[in-house]
Amino acid sequence: PAYPASPVYYIHAEDQLLSPKTNTEASVSLYLDSDKDEIANAVIAGALDCESMNADMFVPCTVFSDVKWYILRVNGEIAGYLRAECGYANIYDIGWLYVEPRFRGHGYACDLVMYFSKDLFAHGAVPHYGYAISGESARVAQKCGYVCDPTVLYCHRLLPI
C-alpha cells in the first residue's frame, strides 16, 4: 500500500543557515525544570493549548536517550517549543516543532529552528530537519537554509501492524 511521505531536510554547516528576520520580542532557551511548572500553570489558565503544549511533553523520552527541548518565549510568555532527539551519533533530528496558534505567522518557528541549529553547531553536533510533516513545516526548513534531500523520505504507516 501507499503511505504518505514527508521530505527530509538537511544542512551541513552553520554558514549555510539563512538569516530570516529577527524577532526582537522573541527569545529561545534550553528547557529548564522550572519551565514545567510555568507550562502547567499556563495550561490550567487556558493560555496554552493543553493538547500540544503541556508539561507531559517534557517527560524524558524512553525511545531516545538524548533529547533536547528548546522553549520559545514572546515578550516573556511561553509561545512554543522545539524537541530534538539524537537518533544517531551526534545528529539531532527535530521531532516536534510547535508554536501556539495566536503566535503563528510571525517567523517564531524560524527563531526556534535557528537557535537549535546554531546551538548544535556550536557544540559539534549536527542539526537535522527530518520530518517536514506539512507545507508550513517545509517552508520553515527552507527559510532557515535547510535543503530537501529528494532521495530520502519518512513514511507514515496508516494501518496497525
Side-chain angles (χ1 to χ4, degrees):
Y3 299 112
S6 298
V8 172
Y9 287 82
Y10 67 91
I11 199 156
H12 294 295
E14 186 171 356
D15 63 359
Q16 293 175 322
L17 289 168
L18 300 178
S19 294
K21 72 175 187 159
T22 303
N23 293 300
T24 56
E25 70 282 1
S27 64
V28 179
S29 60
L30 281 167
Y31 171 81
L32 303 172
D33 286 337
S34 59
D35 294 326
K36 187 171 184 172
D37 289 336
E38 184 180 351
I39 292 165
N41 290 333
V43 167
I44 291 167
L48 295 175
D49 172 42
C50 64
E51 291 294 319
S52 301
M53 184 75 186
N54 62 66
D56 292 336
M57 291 298 299
F58 303 96
V59 172
C61 181
T62 57
V63 176
F64 300 98
S65 61
D66 190 359
V67 178
K68 293 184 182 292
W69 288 277
Y70 298 85
I71 300 293
L72 167 70
R73 285 185 169 77
V74 176
N75 295 320
E77 184 179 352
I78 292 179
Y81 66 92
L82 182 151
R83 175 181 147 174
E85 299 92 10
C86 184
Y88 179 77
N90 65 339
I91 299 172
Y92 286 80
D93 191 16
I94 297 173
W96 291 96
L97 176 59
Y98 178 77
V99 175
E100 280 286 313
R102 68 178 190 251
F103 293 107
R104 293 179 186 166
H106 301 283
Y108 298 132
C110 287
D111 291 334
L112 275 163
V113 172
M114 293 297 287
Y115 186 95
F116 154 76
S117 302
K118 290 177 180 181
D119 183 53
L120 288 186
F121 281 129
H123 291 94
V126 179
H128 195 241
Y129 202 122
Y131 193 61
I133 194 168
S134 66
E136 292 85 2
S137 186
R139 283 190 292 280
V140 168
Q142 293 165 350
K143 284 180 188 176
C144 294
Y146 283 73
V147 178
C148 183
D149 182 347
T151 64
V152 178
L153 294 174
Y154 282 176
C155 292
H156 318 281
R157 187 172 175 90
L158 298 178
L159 304 172
I161 295 177

